[in-house]
Amino acid sequence: MAFSTEDPKFAEFRQLFAKARSVLVLTGAGVSAESGVPTFRGSGGFWRKYQAIDLATPESFAKSPSLVWEFYQYRRELMATKEPNKGHLALVEAEKRFEKEGRRFVILTQNIDGLHRRAGSSNLIEMHGMLILHLKILCTSSENIGNLFKTRCTSCGFVEENKNNPICEALRGRGLPDVETGSDIPVADLPLCRQCQSLVRPHVVWFGEALWPDVRERIDKEIAQCDLFLVVGTSSVVYPAAAYASIISRLGIPVAEINIESTPSTSDSTGPSGELLPILLAPSVDEAL
């Protein structure tokens, strides 16, 4: 189900949403794009000559940790200038209302920018940024989540939050998207572990890495109990998230999608999530307009 507010499917979704007891929302880069966060995909989605899939991999980090850290330094600096948008806030309001009504509203996000959490979402699964508890990774934060502002030691596994800008002196001014600076920073000058002085990496799940077991278990649990699935701002091409809509649909659970571009899950586009979510998720259409 893909729709606009003028489409008959809009009213159909509103009816389903009103009756739903457990809503699961999958969000992707398109949600944050409306806050000005680059997706690093498609035409124009480049940092220097690279897209995210070129750099956010363990192989790229092994080949050139300097280049990958320059990319992440840019992303860290960029996120300090961005704020949650109306789509993020509409999801927060829906979650609060569902909680008061004894219903369940969960966000499953592919994003690592932290905007959902900054907006106020608490019933949140960050697919690419949660801590693997059973691997006994040490964590200095009270929350078992990872994102752009956490690092993990490649040697001892120590995890900590780091919001320093730049994250290390050698990366000062080195993340500029339109400047090729050589990407030749020695490992000894890159971000290092406070525990063992080994190289650290961003504490996120990269392309080619499996989702962490505790994340998979919680996702499976939420899929099993949801009675409405909403897909927002995701290309539906990165697995395993790309498979969730078809899996849930085969279970007979309604699936709705909001995207500014057509995807493999739908033949047409709908519109910006920042415009549609406040209307779709409001207590009533009249209150939202």
Side-chain angles (χ1 to χ4, degrees):
M1 181 193 302
F3 45 76
S4 67
T5 55
E6 298 178 355
D7 194 303
K9 293 179 180 178
F10 171 75
E12 180 184 350
F13 174 82
R14 291 289 297 164
Q15 292 177 352
L16 291 169
F17 187 64
K19 297 177 182 179
R21 302 301 303 173
S22 181
V23 175
L24 181 60
V25 184
L26 171 66
T27 69
V31 174
S32 295
E34 294 181 44
S35 290
V37 180
T39 62
F40 300 109
R41 291 190 185 177
S43 59
F46 287 82
W47 175 83
R48 298 179 185 171
K49 61 182 179 181
Y50 306 98
Q51 293 190 318
I53 196 169
D54 300 320
L55 298 176
T57 70
E59 293 80 12
S60 294
F61 190 70
K63 180 179 180 180
S64 179
S66 174
L67 178 63
V68 173
W69 262 120
E70 288 180 44
F71 175 56
Y72 277 90
Q73 174 61 29
Y74 166 70
R75 297 181 72 178
R76 287 162 61 94
E77 290 179 348
L78 183 71
M79 285 314 306
T81 70
K82 305 304 179 184
E83 297 293 335
N85 60 58
K86 292 180 180 179
H88 292 106
L89 299 176
L91 292 167
V92 173
E93 292 305 312
E95 179 188 327
K96 291 179 179 178
R97 188 170 72 256
F98 267 54
E99 184 176 2
K100 290 180 180 178
E101 296 171 355
R103 299 192 287 167
R104 189 166 182 77
F105 190 95
V106 178
I107 298 172
L108 170 61
T109 187
Q110 298 168 280
N111 300 335
I112 61 171
D113 51 42
L115 288 179
H116 280 301
R117 200 165 292 276
R118 284 172 55 189
S121 293
S122 57
N123 213 3
L124 177 67
I125 304 173
E126 293 175 301
M127 292 179 61
H128 300 156
M130 292 183 71
L131 181 64
I132 318 173
L133 294 175
H134 73 283
L135 290 186
K136 299 181 180 179
I137 293 176
L138 300 175
C139 184
T140 60
S141 170
S142 61
E143 292 184 285
N144 295 323
I145 56 174
N147 52 43
L148 284 173
F149 298 98
K150 282 191 176 180
T151 61
R152 183 171 81 242
C153 180
T154 58
S155 180
C156 73
F158 179 73
V159 174
E160 69 174 341
E161 185 175 64
N162 187 321
K163 293 186 177 181
N164 295 340
N165 186 24
I167 189 170
C168 68
E169 192 58 35
L171 284 168
R172 186 179 298 277
R174 293 294 294 265
L176 298 176
D178 301 322
V179 178
E180 244 351 309
T181 55
S183 303
D184 54 358
I185 302 172
V187 169
D189 294 331
L190 290 172
L192 301 178
C193 177
R194 289 194 299 111
Q195 299 292 315
C196 70
Q197 298 305 304
S198 298
L199 180 67
V200 301
R201 55 165 280 181
H203 183 45
V204 296
V205 176
W206 278 332
F207 292 102
E209 295 181 325
L211 291 184
W212 296 325
D214 57 332
V215 178
R216 292 201 307 268
E217 290 174 9
R218 188 175 175 197
I219 292 172
D220 290 344
K221 176 183 176 182
E222 296 300 337
I223 288 176
Q225 63 182 325
C226 81
D227 54 13
L228 178 61
F229 186 55
L230 179 59
V231 180
V232 185
T234 177
S235 60
S236 296
V237 296
V238 177
Y239 284 82
Y244 294 152
S246 60
I247 291 172
I248 291 174
S249 180
R250 287 198 297 269
L251 295 174
I253 298 167
V255 176
E257 182 174 12
I258 298 174
N259 264 311
I260 59 174
E261 297 178 353
S262 60
T263 74
S265 298
T266 182
S267 59
D268 54 1
S269 60
T270 54
S273 58
E275 295 179 9
L276 290 177
L277 285 177
I279 301 173
L280 286 168
L281 305 184
S284 70
V285 176
D286 291 340
E287 181 176 338
L289 297 176

